[in-house]
Amino acid sequence: KNWRKQLWIKGRNMTVWHLIATMRTERQTPEQAARNRSLPLEAVLEAMHYYILHKDIVEADNEEEKRRLIAKGYKLD
């Protein structure tokens, strides 16, 4: 069973956090993110809106993912 609580991007193996984090890191506009990932702009905007409304869920998932990776021996900065 998947432990994540946040939404996934429909038809992709990508969570809302992964999309938002990539957009931040690469300093992308929603239009650029949609184009670069072959996503409808509406899907990117919906993910951004979801993140704003459910930031606590998304951030908790992100922290849990970090915890699990560290437990597996990954070194995170």
Side-chain angles (χ1 to χ4, degrees):
K1 183 179 178 193
N2 192 334
W3 52 267
R4 295 182 202 277
K5 295 178 177 68
Q6 68 182 289
L7 292 182
W8 293 74
I9 306 299
K10 186 177 179 179
R12 302 295 173 98
N13 186 20
M14 179 187 302
T15 62
V16 167
W17 171 249
H18 290 124
L19 177 60
I20 298 298
T22 302
M23 288 175 66
R24 286 180 178 173
T25 301
E26 297 177 8
R27 294 188 173 130
Q28 294 179 337
T29 65
E31 293 79 9
Q32 290 168 324
R35 189 170 46 252
N36 290 347
R37 287 160 193 78
S38 300
L39 288 168
L41 177 58
E42 294 76 21
V44 174
L45 295 175
E46 183 178 345
M48 292 172 68
H49 185 72
Y50 176 87
Y51 178 72
I52 291 167
L53 293 177
H54 303 286
K55 187 175 180 178
D56 56 335
I57 292 170
V58 176
E59 297 290 340
D61 274 9
N62 185 39
E63 290 303 314
E64 177 63 13
E65 182 175 27
K66 285 180 187 177
R67 188 193 66 73
R68 288 171 181 253
L69 289 171
I70 290 168
K72 288 181 180 180
Y74 290 94
K75 303 232 185 288
L76 305 178
D77 292 332

